[in-house]
C-alpha cells in the first residue's frame, strides 16, 4: 500500500512538473505596437525568468495589429496582443477575439485616477499607464526664441507656425487617444476647433508615433505631440527635451491580452502575469521605457522627479475618458482627421498662415470689417462635415467596419469630407487675405 501511494505521488509530481514545464516552454507570439526600445528589455527579462520560453515579437501599428488578428482568426498564430489604446482591445473583445485571463498580481488598484486599470470581465489587463502631452527640444526653442507651451491651445499661436509635428491618428493608436482625449475633454465642436488650429501650425504629420520624438530629439522639429514616455525616455538618454501634460489630458492604462485560441495559452498567460509582477513593473522604469507602473509600490524605486499619478491627482483629472464612446467612433475620428487634416495639410497651413497675418495686421490697425472676416475664416477652418451624433451613428460608423476592402459608402464619405475641407480652407484663406487688405 505504501509502495502504491509512493508511486502515485511520484506520478502526480511528474505530472505537475510536466505541466509547469509546458506552461514555461515553447514560442509565444506577440503582436504589439510598441517599439523595440520597449519590447526588448521585457523580452530579455522575461526569457531570463522563464528559460523555456522564447518571445516572437512582431511590431505592427495598433490598427494593423487589430486587423491582422481579425483576418487570421481562422488559423490563429498569435498568442498576445500588446498595445496602448484601450479601444483597440474593446474592438477585439467585441468580436470575441480575446480570451479571459485574470493575472496573478497583488497590490494593483482597481483604478488609476478615474479610469479602470483592468477590463472588468478580465479580457485584457493594464500593465502601465500613460498620459498625452507636448514634448519640445529646449535648445531648439531657445534658438528660435519660442516660449514653453502649457496647453494644447498654445500650439495654435502664430509663433509656433511650422515648428510642430504629430503622428497621424490613423497610423498611431497613442495619437488616436490624444485626439479622442481632446474631443472628450473639450467637446466635439470646440475639440475639433482646437485640433484644426494646432494642426495648421504643423510642419509634418508622421506615419509612426516614434517618428515624432525622433524628430524632436534631433532638432528637426521643435515641438511634438506625444505620449509621455517618449519624452521621459529621451530625457533619461540625455536629449535636451522637456514635456508638459496639458490641462485637457488623461491617464489611461496600456494593455495586454491573450488572443482567443492562442497556440501557447500557458506561455501567453505567463507573460501577462510577468508584466504585472513586481519584477515586470520595475522594467518600466528603465531609461529606454520610462512608463508609469500600475503598481503604486514600484514608484519607490523610481527617480525623484518621476510622475506618479497615484500621488498627483491633477494628472488626467480634467477628462473622464469614456472608452465606450471612443470605441464606437474610432474609425470615423481617424478618417475624419485624415480627410480634413492629414491629406489637406498644405491647404490648412495656407489658410492658417493667412489668418495669422490678418490678425497681426488687425492688432496694429483695428478694423471691424477685417475682424469679422478673420472670425469667419477661423469658423470655416474649424467647421466639420458631421456632428458628434452622426459620428457614432450606425449609418456612418457602420460604413467603416469592413476589412481590407473599402466599401462604396466609406469611399463616398471620404470623398465628401475631403471636398468639404478643401472648399472651407480655400474660402477661409480668401476671407483672411481680404481681411489683411482691409487692415493695411
Amino acid at each position: 500500500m505504501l509502495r502504491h501511494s509512493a508511486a502515485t505521488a511520484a506520478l502526480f509530481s511528474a505530472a505537475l512538473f510536466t505541466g509547469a514545464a509546458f506552461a514555461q516552454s515553447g514560442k509565444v507570439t506577440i503582436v504589439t505596437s510598441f517599439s523595440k526600445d520597449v519590447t526588448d528589455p521585457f523580452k530579455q527579462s522575461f526569457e531570463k525568468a522563464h528559460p523555456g520560453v522564447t518571445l516572437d515579437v512582431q511590431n505592427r501599428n495598433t490598427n494593423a495589429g487589430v486587423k491582422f488578428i481579425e483576418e487570421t482568426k481562422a488559423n490563429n498564430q498569435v498568442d498576445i496582443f500588446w498595445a496602448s489604446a484601450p479601444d483597440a482591445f474593446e474592438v477585439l473583445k467585441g468580436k470575441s477575439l480575446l480570451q479571459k485571463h485574470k493575472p496573478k498580481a497583488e497590490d494593483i488598484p482597481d483604478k488609476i485616477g478615474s479610469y479602470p486599470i483592468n477590463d472588468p470581465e478580465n479580457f485584457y489587463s493594464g500593465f502601465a499607464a500613460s498620459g498625452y502631452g507636448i514634448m519640445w527640444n529646449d535648445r531648439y526653442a531657445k534658438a528660435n526664441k519660442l516660449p514653453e507651451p502649457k496647453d494644447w491651445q498654445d500650439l495654435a499661436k502664430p509663433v509656433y507656425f511650422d515648428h510642430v509635428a504629430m503622428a497621424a491618428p490613423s497610423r498611431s493608436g497613442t495619437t488616436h487617444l490624444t485626439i479622442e482625449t481632446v474631443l472628450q475633454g473639450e467637446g466635439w465642436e470646440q475639440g475639433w476647433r482646437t485640433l484644426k488650429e494646432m494642426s495648421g501650425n504643423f510642419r509634418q504629420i508622421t506615419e509612426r508615433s516614434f517618428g515624432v520624438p525622433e524628430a524632436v530629439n534631433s532638432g528637426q522639429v521643435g515641438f511634438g505631440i506625444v505620449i509621455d514616455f517618449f519624452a521621459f525616455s529621451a530625457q533619461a538618454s540625455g536629449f535636451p527635451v522637456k514635456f508638459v501634460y496639458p490641462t485637457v489630458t488623461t491617464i489611461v492604462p496600456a494593455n495586454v491580452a491573450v488572443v482567443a485560441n492562442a497556440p501557447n495559452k500557458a506561455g501567453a498567460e505567463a507573460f501577462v502575469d510577468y508584466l504585472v509582477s513586481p519584477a515586470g513593473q520595475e522594467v518600466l522604469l528603465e531609461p529606454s521605457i520610462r512608463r508609469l507602473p500600475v503598481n503604486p509600490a514600484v514608484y519607490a524605486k523610481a527617480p525623484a522627479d518621476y510622475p506618479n499619478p497615484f500621488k498627483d491627482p491633477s494628472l488626467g483629472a480634467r477628462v473622464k475618458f469614456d472608452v465606450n464612446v471612443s470605441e464606437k467612433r474610432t474609425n470615423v475620428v481617424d478618417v475624419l482627421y485624415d480627410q480634413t487634416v492629414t491629406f489637406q495639410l498644405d491647404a490648412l497651413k495656407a489658410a492658417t498662415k493667412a489668418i495669422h497675418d490678418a490678425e497681426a495686421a488687425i492688432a496694429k490697425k483695428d478694423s471691424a470689417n477685417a475682424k469679422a472676416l478673420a472670425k469667419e475664416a477661423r469658423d470655416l477652418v474649424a467647421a466639420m462635415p458631421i456632428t458628434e451624433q452622426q459620428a457614432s451613428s450606425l449609418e456612418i460608423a457602420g460604413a467603416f467596419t469592413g476589412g481590407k476592402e473599402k466599401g462604396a459608402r466609406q469611399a463616398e464619405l471620404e470623398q465628401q469630407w475631403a471636398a468639404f475641407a478643401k472648399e472651407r480652407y480655400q474660402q477661409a484663406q480668401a476671407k483672411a487675405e481680404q481681411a489683411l487688405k482691409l487692415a493695411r
Side-chain angles (χ1 to χ4, degrees):
M1 184 70 179
L2 286 172
R3 283 196 300 271
H4 179 75
S5 297
T8 301
L11 286 170
F12 182 69
S13 177
L16 282 178
F17 177 80
T18 302
F22 177 77
Q24 298 181 11
S25 65
K27 181 177 72 172
V28 174
T29 300
I30 298 174
V31 168
T32 180
S33 63
F34 300 134
S35 69
K36 289 175 69 66
D37 287 342
V38 174
T39 62
D40 279 357
F42 278 107
K43 175 177 168 65
Q44 293 165 9
S45 60
F46 176 77
E47 289 179 351
K48 184 177 180 180
H50 299 76
V53 180
T54 300
L55 298 184
D56 175 20
V57 181
Q58 301 179 8
N59 181 273
R60 299 171 186 264
N61 70 51
T62 303
N63 289 342
V66 169
K67 288 179 181 177
F68 180 74
I69 291 172
E70 289 175 349
E71 291 164 2
T72 58
K73 64 181 179 181
N75 185 28
N76 181 38
Q77 299 298 315
V78 179
D79 297 295
I80 290 285
F81 182 61
W82 191 22
S84 291
D87 46 357
F89 288 82
E90 281 294 311
V91 169
L92 292 173
K93 174 184 169 182
K95 295 185 177 182
S96 301
L97 293 172
L98 302 178
Q99 58 183 286
K100 291 185 178 183
H101 174 63
K102 186 173 183 179
K104 302 180 178 100
E106 297 179 356
D107 304 321
I108 307 292
D110 292 333
K111 294 183 177 181
I112 186 161
S114 62
Y115 201 97
I117 290 177
N118 299 315
D119 172 48
E121 297 179 88
N122 297 316
F123 280 99
Y124 56 91
S125 305
F127 78 97
S130 300
Y132 309 92
I134 305 165
M135 169 186 181
W136 67 94
N137 186 306
D138 196 42
R139 291 176 189 165
Y140 181 109
K142 288 176 179 176
N144 290 277
K145 298 180 180 178
L146 299 172
E148 295 188 353
K150 294 182 180 179
D151 267 309
W152 300 121
Q153 197 60 43
D154 288 341
L155 294 183
K157 294 177 180 177
V159 71
Y160 293 103
F161 185 81
D162 215 30
H163 292 299
V164 188
M166 188 181 80
S170 60
R171 305 282 296 175
S172 164
T174 55
T175 307
H176 167 78
L177 285 178
T178 306
I179 298 295
E180 183 62 49
T181 295
V182 174
L183 294 177
Q184 290 195 24
E186 296 190 355
W188 184 262
E189 292 186 4
Q190 181 56 47
W192 277 113
R193 181 180 289 270
T194 296
L195 291 169
K196 293 274 203 74
E197 291 178 349
M198 280 197 305
S199 301
N201 279 342
F202 286 175
R203 181 184 301 176
Q204 59 182 325
I205 297 175
T206 67
E207 289 191 356
R208 297 305 300 270
S209 55
F210 35 82
V212 176
E214 287 173 356
V216 174
N217 289 343
S218 65
Q220 293 176 353
V221 70
F223 301 78
I225 296 171
V226 300
I227 193 169
D228 53 13
F229 73 87
F230 279 139
F232 301 151
S233 60
Q235 289 171 339
S237 299
F239 289 101
V241 300
K242 293 184 177 180
F243 177 83
V244 67
Y245 291 109
T247 307
V248 177
T249 192
T250 189
I251 304 293
V252 299
N255 303 285
V256 63
V258 180
V259 178
N261 301 315
N264 188 350
K265 180 182 175 184
E269 291 177 344
F271 179 71
V272 174
D273 291 346
Y274 180 78
L275 286 182
V276 295
S277 71
Q281 289 286 286
E282 288 177 25
V283 176
L284 294 167
L285 304 178
E286 292 196 13
S288 68
I289 301 179
R290 289 290 162 102
R291 283 207 174 220
L292 307 180
V294 294
N295 185 335
V298 175
Y299 287 87
K301 298 187 178 183
D305 58 347
Y306 211 80
N308 186 342
F310 295 103
K311 288 191 175 180
D312 184 353
S314 69
L315 292 181
R318 171 85 176 267
V319 182
K320 307 302 182 193
F321 191 89
D322 189 330
V323 69
N324 294 316
V325 169
S326 178
E327 188 267 331
K328 287 178 183 177
R329 66 192 192 193
T330 295
N331 294 329
V332 175
V333 167
D334 287 349
V335 174
L336 269 174
Y337 189 88
D338 272 350
Q339 297 300 331
T340 64
V341 179
T342 307
F343 304 148
Q344 307 286 339
L345 186 58
D346 288 345
L348 174 57
K349 288 180 69 172
T352 300
K353 185 67 167 62
I355 291 169
H356 290 337
D357 292 344
E359 290 178 340
I362 292 168
K364 295 177 182 177
K365 181 185 176 183
D366 195 10
S367 164
N369 289 337
K371 194 177 291 185
L373 283 168
K375 182 183 182 304
E376 286 182 45
R378 282 197 172 275
D379 290 344
L380 283 164
V381 166
M384 292 301 292
I386 60 172
T387 65
E388 181 173 17
Q389 290 71 28
Q390 289 173 321
S392 299
S393 69
L394 183 61
E395 191 269 328
I396 289 179
F400 295 89
T401 57
K404 280 185 176 180
E405 297 301 320
K406 185 184 293 187
R409 180 57 175 154
Q410 177 179 344
E412 179 186 5
L413 288 169
E414 289 179 356
Q415 290 173 3
Q416 287 177 4
W417 298 346
F420 178 95
K422 185 177 181 179
E423 181 182 10
R424 297 312 187 278
Y425 297 157
Q426 288 174 344
Q427 292 173 351
Q429 183 178 352
K431 287 185 179 293
E433 289 171 350
Q434 187 180 351
L436 179 60
K437 290 178 182 178
L438 291 174
R440 280 178 170 168

